[in-house]
Amino acid sequence: IVAVGDCTGHGVPAALISVIGFNMLNYIVNELDITNPAHILQRLNFEIQAIFKQENNEMTIKDGMDISICVIDKKNNVLEFAGANRPLYFVKNGELQIINGDKKCIGGIWEETNKSFTKHNLLIDSTETIYLFTDGFLDQFGGEFGKKFLCKRFKNMITMSHSQSMNNQKEILENTLIEWKRNEEQTDDICVLGIRF
C-alpha cells in the first residue's frame, strides 16, 4: 500500500495533521486490517474529524488533507486506487491516462462527515508506470511570466519522459522545476512518486 498525502493548511496545524494522518494510516491498515483504499480514506476522514472535533465546529484545527492511495496486489495482478482531491496518472500501452479521485478532502470543517470514496481497479500487467503526486509542482510559480506550472505542462512532462528510466525521469522533473522556478521562491512542498512495474 502506497500513499501520497498533502495537508491543506500550513505551519503547526498542517504538521499536526501530517503526523496524526501518518499514524492513523498505519493504525487503519495494520491494526484494523482495512486494505480497500476507498474504505481507508473513509476511516481516515472519520478519525481526523473526530480527533480535531471538526464535525461539530468545536475545532481548534480546521484544515484537512488531500491524499491518493494505491493498493498493489501482485498476486492477483490488480492495483486498486482511491483519491481524495488527488488523481492517479498511469501509463498504459505507452499513453498517459488519468483516474481522478473524488472531489473531497480528508477532514476539514466545511466538509460532510460521512464521506464515501470511489475505488478504481487497474490490471497491473497492462500498466507500465503509475504516478502519485501533490499539487506542489503544479502550483509552482515561474516561467517567463511568473505563472503557475499547472496541469497541462505536468502532463506533457510525464508524457515526454515516461519511457526513460526512473532515475532519468527524476532528473527531468528536478531540472524542469529548477528551470521553471528561475528566481521564484518554492511555493509549496513538492512530492512526485513514480512506480514502474
Side-chain angles (χ1 to χ4, degrees), residues 66-80:
D66 297 337
I67 186 169
S68 49
I69 296 182
C70 284
V71 177
I72 300 168
D73 183 350
K74 290 185 178 179
K75 184 178 178 182
N76 294 308
N77 189 40
V78 174
L79 181 148
E80 298 175 337

Side-chain angles (χ1 to χ4, degrees), residues 10-157:
H10 299 281
V12 173
L16 277 173
I17 290 178
S18 295
V19 171
I20 290 171
F22 176 79
N23 289 326
M24 274 299 145
L25 283 171
N26 282 320
Y27 168 73
I28 291 165
V29 172
N30 297 323
E31 301 297 325
L32 301 183
D33 199 29
I34 297 173
T35 57
N36 177 314
H39 296 166
I40 293 171
L41 292 182
Q42 187 174 12
R43 184 61 186 247
L44 181 61
N45 177 70
F46 171 81
E47 297 290 351
I48 292 290
Q49 287 194 317
I51 288 168
F52 295 114
K53 298 182 179 177
Q54 292 177 331
E55 72 280 359
N56 56 15
N57 288 333
E58 294 177 11
M59 78 304 162
T60 53
I61 293 178
K62 61 185 179 181
D63 298 304
M65 177 190 303
D66 297 337
I67 186 169
S68 49
I69 296 182
C70 284
V71 177
I72 300 168
D73 183 350
K74 290 185 178 179
K75 184 178 178 182
N76 294 308
N77 189 40
V78 174
L79 181 148
E80 298 175 337
F81 163 75
N85 274 337
R86 299 306 313 142
L88 169 70
Y89 281 18
F90 66 101
V91 177
K92 180 178 179 181
N93 300 324
E95 291 188 12
L96 179 65
Q97 301 189 34
I98 299 168
I99 299 175
N100 288 312
D102 293 291
K103 291 191 175 185
K104 356 177 150 170
C105 77
I106 300 298
I109 61 169
W110 297 284
E111 301 282 333
E112 59 185 290
T113 304
N114 297 315
K115 297 177 197 171
S116 60
F117 294 88
T118 309
K119 182 181 81 168
H120 305 269
N121 293 332
L122 287 175
L123 292 177
I124 292 175
D125 62 8
S126 67
T127 305
E128 299 163 30
T129 315
I130 63 169
Y131 301 91
L132 305 175
F133 52 94
T134 64
D135 61 2
F137 208 118
L138 284 65
D139 287 346
Q140 178 59 50
F141 290 99
E144 185 179 354
F145 302 107
K147 303 286 188 182
K148 287 186 178 182
F149 194 79
L150 298 179
C151 195
K152 184 178 179 182
R153 288 185 189 90
F154 190 79
K155 286 183 200 173
N156 288 340
M157 179 178 59

Side-chain angles (χ1 to χ4, degrees), residues 140-177:
Q140 178 59 50
F141 290 99
E144 185 179 354
F145 302 107
K147 303 286 188 182
K148 287 186 178 182
F149 194 79
L150 298 179
C151 195
K152 184 178 179 182
R153 288 185 189 90
F154 190 79
K155 286 183 200 173
N156 288 340
M157 179 178 59
I158 298 295
T159 299
M160 298 297 290
S161 65
H162 73 77
S163 61
Q164 303 274 338
S165 71
M166 299 308 282
N167 281 336
N168 285 351
Q169 288 186 59
K170 179 185 175 187
E171 282 187 26
I172 290 167
L173 263 69
E174 288 176 341
N175 291 336
T176 301
L177 180 65

